Amino acid sequence: MKKNEQKTELQVSYKAMVDAIEDFVITEGKTLQQAFHAAEEKLKDAKEISKDKIEEASKDLKDNFRMLGEAFEGAGEAYKEQIKLELAFVNSSIWDKLQSIANSNTVELVAFTKSLREQAQTIITEQHLAAHQEHSQWNSEHALWLDEIKYWTKEHQKALTKLVAIEETMQQQTSILIEHSQAIQAQAKVAHEHEKIMRNTEDNFSSESKTVEKKSAPMHKNERKIHIQQKELHHKLKTHHFKIMAMVNMLYKEIHKAD
């Protein structure tokens, strides 16, 4: 719906509310509170006026009566100009009807105005109470969050210390891997030399070669023992390496995910 059409519908709604309330108050002698309720019921089924516009017109009209009720002697024209500024479609005819309704029972108008103020104050009080409760909840959450951040900061410092220790240990692990590599190479060289001796014995059945072969038998037994030890160590280092690398990579990915 276009803006001009909305304004026209609100004008129609406002005038219909004024006419209905005037009829209920002046003709039937209803109070303003009763008149508003009756007018809203009467107009809610009107085809040419939407329910939203009726509610909006009712609210605006209540505000106008509140202003009239709060007006002091001689201030009517001032309020008339203020109402006209707020609702440009309030013409003289409607204004006269508003004054007629207001003047029909000044005491009742004052009571109605007081009721409107109390209702408005109740709404404000409820809103403030809800806001106070939220502020209290937020204060508790803020205190908790700050305590958690303080604790996390301490944990970060401990973690940094641990990371330094982890780096130092990994440097030591690198030295162990280098030593392991050198031991394997040395044992491979011993095994290669023993292989040469065995082949030489196989090709030469002299008494001298047999003596050398006889002496190399205990050496091979020692080779086997060393090889088994290296195999166990290698498996241990391998398992430890994969486990540590998995943890480091997971930590690295998680840290960068947080960024």
Side-chain angles (χ1 to χ4, degrees):
M1 184 179 290
K2 296 181 180 179
K3 185 176 181 180
N4 289 338
E5 293 175 344
Q6 289 180 330
K7 182 178 179 181
T8 301
E9 187 179 356
L10 182 57
Q11 289 175 338
V12 173
S13 304
Y14 189 88
K15 184 178 183 304
M17 283 292 296
V18 173
D19 291 341
I21 288 173
E22 182 187 33
D23 185 52
F24 287 124
V25 171
I26 303 300
T27 305
E28 299 187 19
K30 293 183 181 292
T31 65
L32 277 173
Q33 189 71 39
Q34 293 170 338
F36 266 98
H37 179 72
E40 291 170 357
E41 287 295 314
K42 178 182 178 180
L43 297 175
K44 71 178 183 179
D45 296 326
K47 296 181 180 179
E48 70 278 10
I49 306 173
S50 70
K51 182 180 178 181
D52 290 342
K53 286 295 178 288
I54 287 295
E55 291 177 354
E56 186 176 351
S58 179
K59 179 181 180 301
D60 291 339
L61 191 52
K62 285 178 181 177
D63 288 340
N64 295 156
F65 276 117
R66 178 184 54 79
M67 294 168 66
L68 286 170
E70 294 172 349
F72 50 88
E73 186 178 354
E77 287 300 317
Y79 273 98
K80 178 179 178 181
E81 294 305 317
Q82 185 173 343
I83 294 173
K84 284 184 176 181
L85 286 175
E86 293 182 0
L87 301 170
F89 49 82
V90 175
N91 54 33
S92 297
S93 175
I94 293 178
W95 174 253
D96 290 341
K97 289 186 178 183
L98 289 178
Q99 288 185 315
S100 175
I101 296 169
N103 293 332
S104 66
N105 192 331
T106 306
V107 174
E108 202 281 321
L109 174 63
V110 172
F112 180 70
T113 302
K114 181 181 178 182
S115 175
L116 291 177
R117 284 201 303 267
E118 289 174 350
Q119 291 175 12
Q121 185 59 45
T122 299
I123 293 174
I124 293 174
T125 301
E126 290 176 350
Q127 291 175 341
H128 282 189
L129 179 60
H132 287 318
Q133 290 175 341
E134 279 194 321
H135 288 163
S136 178
Q137 179 184 348
W138 294 347
N139 286 338
S140 297
E141 290 179 343
H142 292 162
L144 173 63
W145 295 343
L146 291 173
D147 284 344
E148 288 180 333
I149 292 171
K150 186 177 180 181
Y151 177 71
W152 295 344
T153 302
K154 290 181 178 179
E155 284 195 318
H156 278 193
Q157 294 302 319
K158 291 179 180 179
L160 289 172
T161 302
K162 291 177 180 178
L163 288 173
V164 172
I166 289 171
E167 183 179 6
E168 292 175 353
T169 302
M170 290 192 69
Q171 293 289 352
Q172 295 173 2
Q173 289 293 321
T174 300
S175 299
I176 292 173
L177 291 177
I178 293 173
E179 292 176 2
H180 180 50
S181 176
Q182 292 174 344
I184 292 172
Q185 292 174 9
Q187 188 60 25
K189 185 176 181 181
V190 170
H192 180 69
E193 292 297 325
H194 187 199
E195 183 67 21
K196 286 171 60 177
I197 292 173
M198 288 191 301
R199 290 187 180 278
N200 184 51
T201 302
E202 291 170 359
D203 295 336
N204 183 4
F205 291 100
S206 64
S207 58
E208 183 179 351
S209 62
K210 289 180 180 180
T211 302
V212 173
E213 169 62 19
K214 192 174 181 179
K215 291 180 179 179
S216 68
M219 181 177 67
H220 184 72
K221 185 178 180 180
N222 188 55
E223 286 177 32
R224 184 185 298 111
K225 179 181 177 182
I226 293 174
H227 183 80
I228 291 174
Q229 291 173 345
Q230 289 180 338
K231 184 176 182 179
E232 291 175 350
L233 176 60
H234 190 80
H235 178 74
K236 182 179 178 181
L237 292 174
K238 181 179 181 179
T239 302
H240 187 256
H241 171 79
F242 283 133
K243 186 176 181 179
I244 294 298
M245 288 302 103
M247 291 180 175
V248 170
N249 290 332
M250 182 176 66
L251 177 60
Y252 182 82
K253 289 178 181 179
E254 190 66 27
I255 286 292
H256 284 76
K257 186 193 300 183
D259 294 340

